[in-house]
Amino acid sequence: MGWTFKAHGALAYALGLTLLALTALTWLPAVVLRIPPTALTWLTAAILALLIPTFLSAGIRAFLARADRHTTWQAFRCLPAKVQLALALTALAGATLLALTISGEGSLQNAREKNGHYYAFDTSPLTRHTVEISRTQYRAVRHDEGRTWLLLPGMLYVGAAYAVLTAGELRRADRASKHA
């Protein structure tokens, strides 16, 4: 596997692991990681500025490898055991955090402040409209939204690492078979 595949995969994995670790920290009551709304804006911009090129180039590399699911799985199994384990455990941790986040979220979304009052969109089956909420509820909804904005890009980064590393392994195998 070429060094660009390794570097790309390592970068995507490191970014994904960092975001998933930050997401996990938001669940710990003793280490309450609160993300202020102003920080969320620049943090989101930074995450997306790195995510878009990393994920798109991983997709392009995977597409150029021209492999089906079975071949990609075989390429994954040819990766070193430590890399397989790290990717699998990180994906499992991300899925667990996603399940916790989905089950913990209430029916309130898109919290906002207007003229000293707090509002959120209620997605309950019988309401589905904007409702006024308390400041405490507003903070809780914003905290949940911040958690989601860390979790989803983290999982996309881990997926990009998987795609790049398997595409690199496929490319290495193709080159080996041509020289044989």
Side-chain angles (χ1 to χ4, degrees):
M1 178 181 331
W3 68 270
T4 60
F5 286 93
K6 291 177 185 178
H8 188 181
L11 173 68
Y13 180 77
L15 290 170
L17 186 63
T18 301
L19 290 177
L20 291 177
L22 287 173
T23 303
L25 284 176
T26 64
W27 281 101
L28 297 176
V31 189
V32 180
L33 177 66
R34 297 278 182 205
I35 303 167
T38 54
L40 190 59
T41 303
W42 69 262
L43 183 61
T44 301
I47 289 170
L48 290 177
L50 291 170
L51 178 66
I52 292 170
T54 304
F55 193 74
L56 285 179
S57 59
I60 291 169
R61 284 181 162 195
F63 175 75
L64 292 176
R66 298 176 195 239
D68 59 3
R69 273 190 252 168
H70 179 69
T71 310
T72 304
W73 177 247
Q74 287 178 334
F76 175 74
R77 293 188 57 197
C78 290
L79 291 171
K82 290 180 182 179
V83 175
Q84 289 179 34
L85 184 64
L87 284 171
L89 289 177
T90 307
L92 181 63
T96 302
L97 287 170
L98 182 62
L100 284 172
T101 300
I102 290 172
S103 67
E105 287 183 358
S107 60
L108 299 176
Q109 298 176 353
N110 301 331
R112 67 186 193 293
E113 180 183 1
K114 186 175 180 182
N115 299 328
H117 296 279
Y118 302 99
Y119 301 95
F121 187 75
D122 190 356
T123 59
S124 305
L126 299 175
T127 54
R128 300 197 71 75
H129 60 80
T130 302
V131 294
E132 189 170 350
I133 58 174
S134 68
R135 181 177 172 85
T136 306
Q137 286 177 310
Y138 170 78
R139 286 184 176 175
V141 172
R142 292 294 293 183
H143 182 67
D144 286 346
E145 289 172 352
R147 180 181 293 134
T148 303
W149 273 106
L150 291 173
L151 176 62
L152 295 180
M155 291 188 68
L156 288 174
Y157 278 125
V158 172
Y162 169 82
V164 167
L165 293 174
T166 55
E169 189 61 28
L170 286 169
R171 185 166 181 198
R172 183 200 59 79
D174 285 346
R175 284 186 174 177
S177 68
K178 286 180 184 177
H179 289 36

